[in-house]
Amino acid sequence: MTSIGFIGLGNMGGHMARNLLAADAGYQMRVFDVVESLMESVTSASTSTTMVTATQSIADAVAGVDVVISMLPAGKHVKEVYLGAGGVLDNAGVDTLLIDCSTIDPTTAREVSAAAKDKGLDMLDAPVSGGTAGAESGTLTFIVGADPQGLERARPYLEVMGANVFHAGSSGAGQVAKICNNMLLAVHMAGTAEALGLGVENGLDPATLSEIMKQSSGGNWSLNVYNPYPGVMQGAPASRAYQGGFLVDLMTKDLDLAMATAEGSRSSVPLGALAKNLYRIHQQHNDAGRLDFSSIQWLYSPDLKER
Ligand code: NAD
């Protein structure tokens, strides 16, 4: 029977852990989060063939397990959890597979993975795309940086929690690919909001304009599935007061990672830098950190804030 240590049961990790249990593959799971109540939401999902135990420390969560999966906020948490005294590397068994699904900077991902390799352990950076909805429905996209053998060992678990698994390259490459994707997402969402704002201010109906642009050369993912203008697309965060979805706080975090990565490679990312500043202004001046990132529409259509 495979045993899994799951660390970090927040908005994403909680769903991912529950999906592994729901797969009814006979996994035993040990979970740990610094917020105790989050562990209860997973332990209550035990089934007849799976057993979940809440633990009080990383050491306890990792002791004797075959696989460690983590879903943590940022690089400093990953470093602390894996490299800190009493952390994962101090407690993992000789053949434990390590999978970190957090979105963090590639440098930290490579550092932690190198330390794992020094101990003879396979470690993957496996950040995800698909948001909380994808985590809940088990349809995440995993973007993996790892040696091929590590990826093949991890695949059965990733395929339970997700619908797509991409191998971006060696250690850290998963994080680089994820960061590039989210920088592009920030740019096309801001561009879409800007075009919709311009159209509405010039008398157009946002739904009509959206339909025209979707079928024309302006079509893009933000328009197709995540329209930022309220009322245009049922089910999109814009139509529920920008609640849920992917937070502005997380988007600005990812854009900070993109800027740091560009600095490291001396790459020019003028559109990414502009998008980062737009989201930062929106976050601070509209107190929008906890809103979905498509609320960037407010920068272009400030009247929407009052509705
Ligand atoms: P979250 O803050 O809801 O969850 C993180 C969890 O880690 C929290 O429950 C926190 O208590 C726990 N934690 C922090 N330090 C810990 C420690 N030392 N030991 C044990 N637990 C600890 O965040 P989230 O939304 O679940 O996101 C997790 C990661 O996934 C982030 O890196 C984020 O950028 C990425 N991500 C999030 C989304 C999304 O839509 N929420 C989408 C894609 C990627």
Side-chain angles (χ1 to χ4, degrees):
M1 182 182 276
T2 305
S3 57
I4 301 173
F6 207 114
I7 304 171
L9 303 167
N11 293 322
M12 300 289 288
H15 289 306
M16 292 160 69
R18 281 189 292 275
N19 282 337
L20 284 166
L21 295 171
D24 234 7
Y27 297 136
Q28 278 196 359
M29 192 180 282
R30 303 173 69 77
V31 295
F32 178 64
D33 195 293
V34 286
V35 179
E36 194 139 359
S37 57
L38 291 173
M39 292 197 273
E40 281 156 30
S41 72
V42 177
T43 49
S44 59
S46 287
T47 69
S48 55
T49 58
T50 53
M51 207 181 80
V52 203
T53 314
T55 66
Q56 295 305 314
S57 67
I58 292 163
D60 201 7
V62 169
V65 301
D66 303 301
V67 186
V68 173
I69 302 175
S70 55
M71 194 49 162
L72 298 159
K76 64 177 183 188
H77 306 94
V78 172
K79 219 165 163 169
E80 178 195 317
V81 163
Y82 280 85
L83 305 185
V88 173
L89 292 196
D90 278 352
N91 291 285
V94 286
D95 205 25
T96 310
L97 173 65
L98 309 176
I99 307 173
D100 178 47
C101 302
S102 325
T103 301
I104 66 171
D105 59 289
T107 306
T108 299
R110 289 187 192 113
E111 184 186 337
V112 177
S113 160
K117 202 167 190 173
D118 283 347
K119 295 204 156 204
L121 302 175
D122 284 329
M123 178 161 187
L124 287 72
D125 45 289
V128 303
S129 179
T132 51
E136 186 168 10
S137 59
T139 56
L140 290 170
T141 293
F142 285 91
I143 309 167
V144 176
D147 292 339
Q149 86 274 0
L151 171 57
E152 290 319 310
R153 287 179 68 197
R155 201 179 275 287
Y157 312 103
L158 302 183
E159 285 179 347
V160 168
M161 299 182 286
N164 302 296
V165 179
F166 290 112
H167 190 199
S170 59
S171 171
Q175 298 296 352
V176 175
K178 163 79 183 172
I179 285 166
C180 292
N181 180 70
N182 278 22
M183 185 178 81
L184 176 59
L185 171 63
V187 168
H188 68 62
M189 180 57 83
T192 300
E194 189 167 305
L196 287 169
L198 176 67
V200 169
E201 281 183 2
N202 284 278
L204 294 189
D205 171 57
T208 306
L209 175 58
S210 294
E211 210 44 46
I212 292 168
M213 294 195 293
K214 268 166 75 173
Q215 306 302 332
S216 306
S217 45
N220 67 76
W221 184 90
S222 294
L223 266 178
N224 288 346
V225 305
Y226 217 99
N227 196 296
Y229 208 95
V232 171
M233 187 173 281
Q234 224 186 353
S239 296
R240 47 171 197 268
Y242 301 108
Q243 298 302 306
F246 183 51
L247 302 185
V248 169
D249 280 347
L250 287 177
M251 179 53 99
T252 53
K253 178 197 127 182
D254 289 357
L255 289 167
D256 284 341
L257 292 177
M259 295 306 106
T261 304
E263 190 70 29
S265 54
R266 299 179 58 81
S267 307
S268 296
V269 284
L271 289 176
L274 178 57
K276 178 201 145 158
N277 280 297
L278 290 172
Y279 278 95
R280 185 72 76 213
I281 290 167
H282 177 48
Q283 179 188 41
Q284 292 173 354
H285 294 266
N286 289 331
D287 193 19
R290 306 295 299 167
L291 297 180
D292 177 72
F293 80 113
S294 64
S295 61
I296 194 78
Q297 187 70 57
W298 282 3
L299 273 190
Y300 302 100
S301 314
D303 291 355
L304 291 174
K305 262 176 84 172
E306 314 308 328
R307 291 198 208 158

